[in-house]
Amino acid sequence: MKLVGIGDLFIPKRFIKEGFQSLEALGVDVEVLDWELKDHTELQHVNLMVENGGSDAYDPPDYIMEAVRDADIIITQFCPINRKVIDQCPNLKVIGILRSGYENINTEYASSKGILVYNTPGRNADAVADFTVGLLIAECRNIARGHLGLKEGRWIREYPNTAQIPDLPGKTVGLVGLGEIGLKVARRLTGFDMKIIGYDPFASQVPDYVTLVELEDLMKQSDFVSLHVRLTPDTEGMIDDRLLALMKPSAYLINTSRSALVNEQALYRALKDRKLAGAALDVFDVEPPGIDYPLVTLDNITLTPHMAGGSIDAFYQSPKKLAPEIAKLWQKEDSRYLVNRNLFDQWLETSSFA
């Protein structure tokens, strides 16, 4: 049995090799190669192509197609595994993605071929949660603006939110989405003595320090709104003019999730017209946005270049998180990492995998 791991600029092949070495004891031949990209800008371009157009928007280069041709298991992080790749891999039984998002996999087509798809949920949850709290504080306390001022030789004492600079204790933070990242943010912010409310139609049980409310109530009550939901047709553009208008003029919006959750034009208008105190964003509809990008031109916003999940620990530990979940197949065990779980029982009956 052959596993082929496709490394990239964030998780080089040696970390995949190390992470999946444990499968060699099960008779798996672990081979790895790197997806050779010019730089991070090229990788970002491909990721945006895939995010906007699906996995079939980009075909991997020929050397990757050749390397995976006889693979039983393919491991990837960002390199797309689309219909073309799947069609040329007659032995393929499992696809593993070293992150929670799986937009770069044609999951529907893989499922139609009886191929199991695994992701790595929460692999960067700590990194994103830490960064979210950092952004929240940086924006409301003007840390980035003060830093930039000093670098430019200015000693700034007046900021756009000078009349609304808060202490965190007693303030209300509203978390839209209470998955692994949202709950980690909640746990961190309890350390600041904040009141935590949340909206998640799929959350039935939450910690006792989180109060579930309807989305409209969350927008009205929160001093900070932080987004932690997956982008789907139902959530695309969910934060629009109507919901933004419900927020307090002293409130802040934080987005370290997906840009398309927010109507950027609506947010631009709300910030420009001082309907909100500020916002902090790590994601944009166009990346990189450029200095003339409407949101970039505002003075009441903190911006970072899509880096919330980018800690070394998050990247390098991903293979070690995913490998034992795939190894459960040898024991005919299910896994919470399995994306197309509806196939599992049928797959066990028909596969000669283990």
Side-chain angles (χ1 to χ4, degrees):
M1 182 167 294
K2 182 176 179 179
L3 179 153
V4 176
I6 305 170
D8 56 42
L9 294 172
F10 289 103
I11 305 180
K13 63 183 181 182
R14 73 180 180 91
F15 291 98
I16 299 177
K17 180 75 171 179
E18 292 172 4
F20 283 89
Q21 271 184 334
S22 58
L23 270 61
E24 292 179 347
L26 299 172
V28 179
D29 179 20
V30 178
E31 298 185 6
V32 295
L33 74 160
D34 279 330
W35 180 24
E36 297 173 1
L37 297 167
K38 182 174 62 177
D39 53 26
H40 290 86
T41 299
E42 183 180 4
L43 176 57
Q44 185 176 56
H45 175 68
V46 174
N47 288 344
L48 283 173
M49 286 175 58
V50 169
E51 188 169 318
N52 294 325
S55 61
D56 292 315
Y58 174 88
D59 287 333
D62 290 343
Y63 64 88
I64 287 181
M65 302 288 275
E66 183 60 33
V68 301
R69 188 179 300 275
D70 58 348
D72 298 277
I73 304 170
I74 295 176
I75 304 298
T76 183
Q77 179 181 216
F78 290 119
C79 184
I81 306 299
N82 57 22
R83 178 185 289 258
K84 183 177 179 180
V85 177
I86 292 169
D87 279 342
Q88 79 152 34
C89 297
N91 300 331
L92 189 59
K93 303 172 182 67
V94 174
I95 300 170
I97 307 101
L98 296 168
R99 60 194 185 106
S100 58
Y102 46 89
E103 306 87 36
N104 57 318
I105 311 300
N106 192 327
T107 304
E108 182 177 355
Y109 190 61
S111 297
S112 75
K113 296 289 187 178
I115 298 167
L116 297 183
V117 178
Y118 286 74
N119 68 343
T120 313
R123 71 94 188 246
N124 63 352
D126 283 314
V128 176
D130 293 346
F131 197 92
T132 300
V133 174
L135 268 188
L136 184 154
I137 297 172
E139 167 55 27
C140 73
R141 297 301 305 273
N142 299 296
I143 293 173
R145 284 183 281 272
H147 169 80
L148 180 62
L150 286 173
K151 297 283 280 188
E152 295 176 342
R154 295 180 294 133
W155 185 266
I156 304 173
R157 308 308 294 171
E158 294 291 328
Y159 294 95
N161 67 335
T162 292
Q164 299 165 324
I165 298 175
D167 285 342
L168 298 187
K171 296 298 189 292
T172 297
V173 60
L175 302 175
V176 182
L178 292 168
E180 193 156 3
I181 294 174
L183 289 177
K184 284 180 179 289
V185 172
R187 187 158 61 249
R188 284 156 171 76
L189 291 178
T190 59
F192 290 91
D193 297 325
M194 300 186 77
K195 177 184 178 182
I196 313 294
I197 61 176
Y199 167 77
D200 191 326
F202 303 104
S204 56
Q205 292 184 325
V206 297
D208 56 8
Y209 51 78
V210 178
T211 302
L212 289 173
V213 298
E214 293 300 320
L215 181 58
E216 289 78 8
D217 293 329
L218 181 147
M219 302 299 285
K220 292 175 183 177
Q221 296 175 27
S222 297
D223 299 296
F224 301 89
V225 173
S226 188
L227 307 181
H228 305 286
V229 297
R230 184 175 294 281
L231 180 63
T232 69
D234 291 332
T235 61
E236 184 172 0
M238 66 184 296
I239 306 300
D240 55 12
D241 282 296
R242 181 182 71 85
L243 288 179
L244 290 170
L246 298 178
M247 294 178 67
K248 303 174 183 179
S250 58
Y252 299 82
L253 180 74
I254 317 296
N255 188 9
T256 54
S257 184
R258 289 285 187 265
S259 67
L261 298 172
V262 180
N263 182 314
E264 280 196 349
Q265 291 74 32
L267 179 59
Y268 172 80
R269 289 190 292 269
L271 291 169
K272 185 175 177 60
D273 295 341
R274 299 297 199 251
K275 300 295 179 62
L276 299 178
L281 308 178
D282 186 53
V283 287
F284 310 90
D285 288 349
V286 176
E287 295 183 359
I291 61 174
D292 295 324
Y293 201 71
L295 288 169
V296 176
T297 65
L298 297 172
D299 62 358
N300 54 346
I301 193 167
T302 296
L303 308 172
T304 53
H306 204 149
M307 57 194 285
S311 74
I312 292 299
D313 288 335
F315 288 125
Y316 291 174
Q317 294 302 313
S318 296
K320 293 180 180 179
K321 289 179 179 288
L322 180 57
E325 296 300 317
I326 291 178
K328 290 180 179 179
L329 287 172
W330 274 261
Q331 304 300 322
K332 303 186 184 304
E333 293 181 12
D334 197 353
S335 167
R336 73 181 185 93
Y337 288 21
L338 190 55
V339 174
N340 48 359
R341 302 181 73 167
N342 58 305
L343 291 185
F344 184 70
D345 291 338
Q346 178 185 351
W347 188 91
L348 285 180
E349 294 174 1
T350 60
S351 176
S352 57
F353 185 76

